[in-house]
Amino acid sequence: GSGTFTRRDGVKDHDTYRDLRNAMDAVGFDTSEQNEILDVAGALMHVSNLDFIESAPDVATLDKSNLHITKVIELLGVKFDALNDATCSCTITVRGEVVRKTLDVNGAKRAMEALAKATYSALFEHVVKRINRSI
């Protein structure tokens, strides 16, 4: 183990992980799908540790020096710039014209929370649909 957390309930994480993999096998997730689901879940755990910095007045940027950013972009399979754009700006359509607006640090944090929530929701819905198809 990593030595960062000692369970007090006697549950062995490796046993729980094995049980999870066995359950995923039983409902028809192949190994590749299982890995993708676990990658997204892992990325979502790291997302909560990301930080934003103010790169200009009222302009947020993901903090590249944050240790979790590398893991998030690796697990999600996205580039830093794509994640930065998705969380630090938004587009608004006004009278047919699309305008890109930068977000401040608080806006970027809210955008990241919304992205994480939407991603988790889509992942959960996907897993539930697959389980329902198998029963």
Side-chain angles (χ1 to χ4, degrees):
S2 65
T4 59
F5 183 71
T6 303
R7 294 193 61 140
R8 295 182 185 148
D9 58 7
V11 173
K12 303 280 190 235
D13 288 337
H14 65 276
D15 291 340
T16 303
Y17 177 76
R18 184 193 61 237
D19 292 346
L20 172 65
R21 287 294 202 154
N22 288 340
M24 292 175 93
D25 286 336
V27 295
F29 288 106
D30 64 34
T31 301
S32 176
E33 291 173 302
Q34 291 178 35
N35 290 339
E36 290 169 356
I37 289 167
L38 295 174
D39 284 351
V40 172
L44 291 173
M45 289 184 221
H46 284 282
V47 159
S48 65
N49 295 310
L50 296 180
D51 295 313
F52 295 91
I53 56 173
E54 189 174 61
S55 57
D58 295 325
V59 178
T61 303
L62 276 166
D63 182 358
K64 282 185 178 182
S65 69
N66 183 294
L67 299 175
H68 296 272
I69 190 67
T70 303
K71 205 61 172 163
V72 170
I73 61 178
E74 173 191 325
L75 290 170
L76 291 179
V78 299
K79 296 191 183 306
F80 174 85
D81 289 339
L83 185 60
N84 192 67
D85 287 346
T87 56
C88 297
S89 65
C90 65
T91 55
I92 303 167
T93 304
V94 179
R95 297 182 199 174
E97 182 181 345
V98 177
V99 178
R100 183 176 175 272
K101 179 182 182 296
T102 58
L103 300 174
D104 63 12
V105 170
N106 286 329
K109 286 179 182 177
R110 287 191 302 276
M112 181 62 82
E113 290 168 1
L115 178 63
K117 182 178 178 182
T119 303
Y120 179 81
S121 178
L123 179 63
F124 183 81
E125 185 176 328
H126 172 71
V127 170
V128 168
K129 282 182 180 178
R130 286 293 301 277
I131 291 169
N132 285 340
R133 276 199 310 244
S134 76
I135 55 176

